[in-house]
Amino acid sequence: MRRFDGSVAVVTGAGQGIGAAVARALAGEGAAIVVAARRAEPIEKVAAEIRDAGGKAWAVQCDVTDAASVHSLVQAAARRAGVVNILVNNAGAAHSAPLAKTTLEDWNRLLAVNATGTFLCTQAFMPAMVMRKQGSIVNVASVAGLAGARYIAAYAAAKHAVIGLTRSVAAELEGTGVTCNAVCPGFVDTEMTKQSVARVAQKTRKQADEALTAMLASAGQKRLITPDEVAQAVVRLCDPKGTRPNGKAVTITG
């Protein structure tokens, strides 16, 4: 028996990077996966890869910042996969700029995708888990959610909100059989990080490798974390056969 045989997991932001790695890791341990994101093509590809490997997966488009879209995701997941007992809130967005140059649009967008999206999905999927007294919610935050840094005020504020939400939800869930935790990776080898490196290189007039080295040094990292490393941390926090913590923010810094 694999760890998640008979389980159904919803993973948001699962078309690439961390989300795709989490979807594959959970599927590899037997979970049926609902792969969710705004764009259809990437999630269809991830779902097809899981099915080709012998797993069960469905792609469902969802904008996590829109309550109606999240409600449709809940319905689609139940209709296609069945009872959802794992929710991984991975959908996110990043941005870097000095505070003075951070626009209200940037601020609102980062809070909407990172914090409001996590809130809406948790609120939508949690009640059924509590009713059955079994489930795991994992929020993908960031080390930026634990400590601020230069030029990421909006991003850090949004991820701090995710950590606060995680801990508050965990307090409500105490004793219900449902847990809520967060993973807080540093810089991960994803398209989002590549975009950040490109922005820093452009603004500082450095080569991309020099910009990356500076970014890693600022976070106290020696290397980029792989998406699979984050995925394995998520798997551990969902493991029904292990001793799952509740309300923890697990850092992953490589």
Side-chain angles (χ1 to χ4, degrees):
M1 290 287 290
R2 293 171 295 181
R3 280 186 278 189
F4 301 111
D5 280 338
S7 295
V8 175
V10 171
V11 184
T12 67
Q16 60 183 4
I18 292 171
V22 169
R24 294 187 191 102
L26 289 171
E29 289 286 351
I33 310 295
V34 176
V35 185
R38 288 183 301 168
R39 295 187 295 130
E41 185 176 352
I43 55 175
E44 290 285 2
K45 181 180 178 181
V46 172
E49 289 173 353
I50 291 172
R51 290 193 295 267
D52 289 345
K56 297 179 180 179
W58 300 264
V60 178
Q61 284 184 271
C62 178
D63 178 355
V64 298
T65 70
D66 180 77
S69 185
V70 171
H71 179 67
S72 295
L73 173 63
V74 173
Q75 293 181 317
R79 184 172 62 252
R80 299 184 186 187
V83 175
V84 174
N85 49 12
I86 298 172
L87 170 65
V88 182
N89 288 306
N90 171 71
H95 177 74
S96 60
L99 182 65
K101 294 184 178 180
T102 299
T103 67
L104 180 58
E105 181 182 12
D106 294 331
W107 174 268
N108 286 338
R109 178 174 61 87
L110 264 65
L111 285 175
V113 177
N114 293 293
T116 302
T118 300
F119 158 71
L120 287 174
C121 290
T122 301
Q123 187 182 57
F125 282 99
M126 188 179 78
M129 294 183 187
V130 172
M131 185 174 64
R132 293 188 303 272
K133 299 182 179 180
Q134 195 271 327
S136 301
I137 300 168
V138 179
N139 301 323
V140 179
S142 167
V143 290
L146 300 171
R150 295 188 300 171
Y151 311 135
I152 58 166
Y155 180 72
K159 290 302 188 180
H160 271 74
V162 172
I163 297 298
L165 176 66
T166 299
R167 290 169 173 163
S168 296
V169 169
E172 290 189 29
L173 291 174
E174 193 66 43
T176 66
V178 184
T179 57
C180 183
N181 296 286
V183 291
C184 300
F187 289 110
V188 183
D189 189 6
T190 62
E191 188 61 35
M192 184 181 292
T193 296
K194 291 177 183 177
Q195 292 171 0
S196 296
V197 171
R199 285 195 299 269
V200 171
Q202 182 181 25
K203 292 176 181 178
T204 61
R205 298 182 180 179
K206 293 180 178 180
Q207 295 296 316
D209 58 343
E210 295 175 322
L212 175 59
T213 298
M215 290 169 61
L216 291 174
S218 71
Q221 288 181 234
K222 296 180 179 179
R223 61 173 178 84
L224 287 173
I225 302 158
T226 68
D228 287 338
E229 288 177 282
V230 183
Q232 289 306 311
V234 172
V235 166
R236 288 191 292 272
L237 290 173
C238 296
D239 189 353
K241 298 178 182 179
T243 303
R244 288 179 290 131
N246 186 37
K248 300 300 182 182
V250 178
T251 57
I252 309 164
T253 55

